[in-house]
Amino acid sequence: MNGNVRALAASFDLEKLTPEFYINPYPTYRALRENEPIKRLPNGAYFLTRYDDLVTAYKNTRAFSSDKRKEFSPKYGTSRLYEHHTTSLVFNDPPIHTRVRRLIMGALSPRAIAEMEGDLIQLVDKLLDSIAAKRDFELIGDYAAAIPVEVIGNLLDVPHDEREPLRDWSLAILGALEPVIDEVAFARGNKAVQDFLTYLETLVARRRAKPGNPDRDVLTRLIQGDADGERLTVKELLHNCIFLLNAGHETTTNLIGNGLVALSKHPAEKARLIGHPEMIKTAVEEMLRYESSNQLGNRMTVEHVGLGGLTLPPGTSITLCIGAANRDPAQFPDPERFDIGRTPNRHLAFATGAHQCAGMALARLEGAIAISHFLARFPNYSLNGDPVRGGRVRFRGFLSVPCMTNA
Ligand code: HEM
């Protein structure tokens, strides 16, 4: 048994994953954490699976850089994908990151987010009405994916009849971030960035001509900049709007989808939450920990760094495995157990440190409202066939989940 586990860790290659891994990566993550927590991959990069090592890397932005210019240049050339990813705040270091983040955090203020709750409840209840009329439904398309696209659309005040292409653009751009991509995924990603830019140029021009209320409309706020006169350049504005739209789509869809599937597979926890709806906050945190929708992060060392007895030279590419760290027994007692009341639960689903998710308050609100309203309406829902996985390692979720309301 131990030999098998060691062999699983020894043979792990992020560029050659097996179908079993996509279905359930956690035995592999455990084998790595226990045997080779700082795993050197065949391509020379390192794969980190221990909670404490991830925290060290996330907190030390000086040694562990997020700047992806070196890494993305061979992968994307001088394409639009390269321009997009290297302009997004998530793939930059201070001082560029600090400046852009301050402006974005200012726009995603608690007030702007609180303002969204009423519309969000209305949207969720409307979707639940359509599901009630059907009885057999598909959890992702009919519900989980329909929520974030509208929420982010509202955030930037994109007119309703112009929202349809947003989800496909977002999937194509994020899909091109997978560790290995073929020519089709590359071409799709590039076209999506171009189409998105063309669309946003028009939207921004319209908003400049007719500004919205900066307390509610994040786009108006980003165009206007902050009270000190600090503003994003046009290129920063457009690419970071694309990033905001992307960052909030697939991740939140997967939180809702993964959460409702996890509950259906853990009937006692489902009954507990139905009996104690006030537990929704800790339940959402556990869903984020147990099946983190964003499983991998990346950094590059820019100086010699000591980690777990090893010294990594500058220029070492590092993958931070959030999915593995969130099941590290050194941090979470009985980590394979899904416990909706788990406290404390300092998971890394939103990372930590300077790049910690700027949209986490919004994601938590969406998750809590989507899941609690769904359960209140369809407490007896059940799966009605096999869920289909998204087939991605970075973003973990389902493409489709056939369900019945049993109402
Ligand atoms: C369940 C949903 C979500 C998850 C799991 C998630 C996860 C993450 C993670 C892990 C990071 C850090 C990436 C890194 O530095 O390696 C991040 C960054 C970010 N996220 Fe989220 N996110 C979610 C939803 C959202 C939403 C709804 C928005 C916006 C409306 C958003 C906006 C951002 C932004 C702007 C950053 C970059 C922050 C920075 O670099 O300073 N996210 N997110």
Side-chain angles (χ1 to χ4, degrees):
M1 184 65 190
N2 277 347
N4 285 349
V5 171
R6 265 200 297 277
L8 192 58
S11 63
F12 178 72
D13 182 352
L14 193 55
E15 294 179 357
K16 290 192 188 126
L17 297 170
T18 60
E20 296 77 47
F21 177 90
Y22 283 102
I23 295 167
N24 181 9
Y26 301 108
T28 307
Y29 289 163
R30 181 176 176 175
L32 285 165
R33 220 176 32 235
E34 287 174 358
N35 293 283
E36 296 184 63
I38 303 175
K39 163 87 182 166
R40 189 172 196 277
L41 299 174
N43 68 4
Y46 281 80
F47 192 84
L48 271 45
T49 44
R50 276 191 308 220
Y51 183 93
D52 284 350
D53 291 337
L54 263 74
V55 172
T56 301
Y58 277 130
K59 295 235 158 133
N60 186 349
T61 45
R62 204 171 46 84
F64 293 90
S65 165
S66 289
D67 184 329
K68 299 284 187 289
R69 280 173 298 183
K70 243 196 209 149
E71 201 176 325
F72 284 172
S73 178
K75 188 170 178 184
Y76 301 131
T78 53
S79 64
R80 283 293 198 196
L81 270 170
Y82 179 80
E83 179 185 281
H84 169 64
H85 287 308
T86 54
T87 312
S88 302
L89 82 158
V90 74
F91 294 145
N92 273 288
D93 289 331
I96 297 176
H97 169 259
T98 322
R99 200 184 120 257
V100 176
R101 180 168 170 110
R102 200 168 48 234
L103 288 161
I104 288 184
M105 289 306 284
L108 285 174
S109 64
R111 187 153 160 205
I113 289 169
E115 290 266 358
M116 307 191 72
E117 189 164 345
D119 285 351
L120 177 58
I121 291 175
Q122 249 183 24
L123 163 71
V124 160
D125 287 343
K126 207 173 93 200
L127 291 170
L128 292 173
D129 286 344
S130 321
I131 291 175
K134 286 193 196 176
R135 299 203 176 175
D136 281 353
F137 66 102
E138 198 282 286
L139 180 65
I140 306 303
D142 290 339
Y143 196 61
I147 298 168
V149 71
E150 289 301 315
V151 168
I152 304 278
N154 290 348
L155 199 74
L156 297 185
D157 208 5
V158 175
H160 283 274
D161 56 354
E162 294 172 12
R163 290 182 186 184
E164 208 221 295
L166 297 181
R167 178 153 192 254
D168 281 348
W169 287 337
S170 163
L171 290 176
I173 296 169
L174 293 182
L177 280 178
E178 283 292 288
V180 183
I181 54 165
D182 60 16
E183 271 175 36
V184 178
F186 179 63
R188 260 189 81 214
N190 265 319
K191 181 165 182 326
V193 177
Q194 184 55 57
D195 291 349
F196 218 147
L197 282 174
T198 309
Y199 173 69
L200 281 175
E201 273 165 14
T202 324
L203 190 71
V204 168
R206 289 199 306 233
R207 203 61 52 83
R208 279 190 206 280
K210 199 170 165 238
N213 172 358
D215 282 340
R216 284 199 66 148
D217 171 19
V218 169
L219 182 55
T220 298
R221 180 79 181 250
L222 288 175
I223 292 171
Q224 291 178 348
D226 69 13
D228 305 333
E230 187 71 71
R231 281 194 196 170
L232 297 173
T233 64
V234 173
K235 188 173 144 197
E236 284 170 348
L237 173 68
L238 297 179
H239 283 294
N240 282 291
C241 281
I242 295 183
F243 179 70
L244 271 184
L245 285 154
N246 290 343
H249 266 176
E250 203 174 346
T251 47
T252 317
T253 300
N254 291 348
L255 163 61
I256 300 167
N258 291 348
L260 286 168
V261 171
L263 283 178
S264 79
K265 298 204 162 160
H266 296 85
E269 291 304 285
K270 182 180 161 201
R272 195 174 165 209
L273 185 53
I274 291 170
H276 295 276
E278 74 285 358
M279 291 180 80
I280 188 65
K281 280 196 175 160
T282 52
V284 166
E285 295 312 306
E286 181 67 346
M287 291 161 190
L288 285 160
R289 180 194 75 85
Y290 186 77
E291 277 277 42
S292 306
S293 36
N294 184 351
Q295 295 255 316
L296 304 179
N298 294 93
R299 296 293 187 263
M300 176 87 78
T301 56
V302 287
E303 55 187 48
H304 286 281
V305 282
L307 206 60
L310 292 176
T311 301
L312 306 179
T316 306
S317 175
I318 311 273
T319 297
L320 308 174
C321 185
I322 295 173
N326 278 345
R327 293 194 183 203
D328 186 340
Q331 176 66 23
F332 304 99
D334 202 0
E336 308 293 335
R337 196 168 141 237
F338 179 66
D339 169 7
I340 62 153
R342 187 181 287 276
T343 35
N345 190 350
R346 283 191 285 273
H347 61 74
L348 297 175
F350 294 122
T352 184
H355 286 276
Q356 186 173 42
C357 178
M360 64 186 184
L362 180 57
R364 284 178 163 139
L365 181 72
E366 286 180 69
I369 290 180
I371 290 165
S372 61
H373 281 235
F374 184 92
L375 276 184
R377 190 78 171 262
F378 306 122
N380 300 318
Y381 77 99
S382 62
L383 302 193
N384 184 17
D386 289 333
V388 179
R389 278 267 166 217
R392 295 183 180 191
V393 50
R394 185 175 298 279
F395 296 102
R396 183 161 179 80
F398 295 99
L399 275 184
S400 61
V401 181
C403 281
M404 284 189 293
T405 59
N406 299 314

